[in-house]
Amino acid sequence: MKRSVSVLFLAAALAGAEAHAACTHPMPPGKIPDGATASKQDMINGMMAVRAFDQAIKAYTDCLKLEHDTAVSKIDPTDASKAKTEKGQLDNVWAKKNDAAVDEDSALAKQFNDQVKVYKEKNKS
């Protein structure tokens, strides 16, 4: 039994390592609820979708970092000038992808928070 669990754990770890080989940008939620017309359940569902997207972006940026670090580790250090150029290029690509993902996540959170304010204003007691 212990051996089969170990084999399954190893297989899962290897599958996870392969998944890092190609990071996939997550899809944002289809629609943010309109605070002026949404029900409480719509707002809760929207919040859950925004949180799920936030977690997916975190996983994506972690994957990008691992992908970047792996690529940097494969740079041939024998030509220092070339290695520095290659690392700079990899750093630039990583930073652009990471920043774009974080900006998208932040914009979605802001959009949802704006709708929460509208919802709360509409439903004042």
Side-chain angles (χ1 to χ4, degrees):
M1 179 68 176
K2 286 183 181 180
R3 181 181 169 148
S4 63
V5 170
S6 296
V7 170
L8 287 174
F9 180 78
L10 179 60
L14 290 174
E18 274 189 36
H20 287 294
C23 304
T24 303
H25 189 287
M27 293 297 297
K31 183 180 174 190
I32 296 296
D34 179 352
T37 59
S39 68
K40 181 176 181 178
Q41 189 60 51
D42 291 337
M43 295 304 290
I44 291 170
N45 293 344
M47 176 187 65
M48 290 171 40
V50 169
R51 285 183 180 171
F53 182 67
D54 182 61
Q55 291 172 347
I57 287 291
K58 171 75 171 108
Y60 172 68
T61 57
D62 289 348
C63 179
L64 289 176
K65 180 66 173 150
L66 179 61
E67 187 176 73
H68 167 267
D69 293 349
T70 300
V72 167
S73 73
K74 293 179 181 179
I75 294 174
D76 182 5
T78 56
D79 182 347
S81 177
K82 183 178 176 185
K84 183 177 179 180
T85 300
E86 288 178 14
K87 183 177 182 317
Q89 291 170 341
L90 289 170
D91 289 350
N92 189 37
V93 169
W94 168 74
K96 285 182 179 179
K97 287 181 178 181
N98 185 79
D99 292 351
V102 170
D103 289 348
E104 180 181 18
D105 190 29
S106 296
L108 182 71
K110 182 187 180 318
Q111 182 183 1
F112 179 72
N113 287 336
D114 290 345
Q115 292 306 310
V116 168
K117 289 175 187 173
V118 170
Y119 176 82
K120 285 181 176 181
E121 185 64 32
K122 178 191 101 175
N123 292 290
K124 275 187 181 177
S125 294

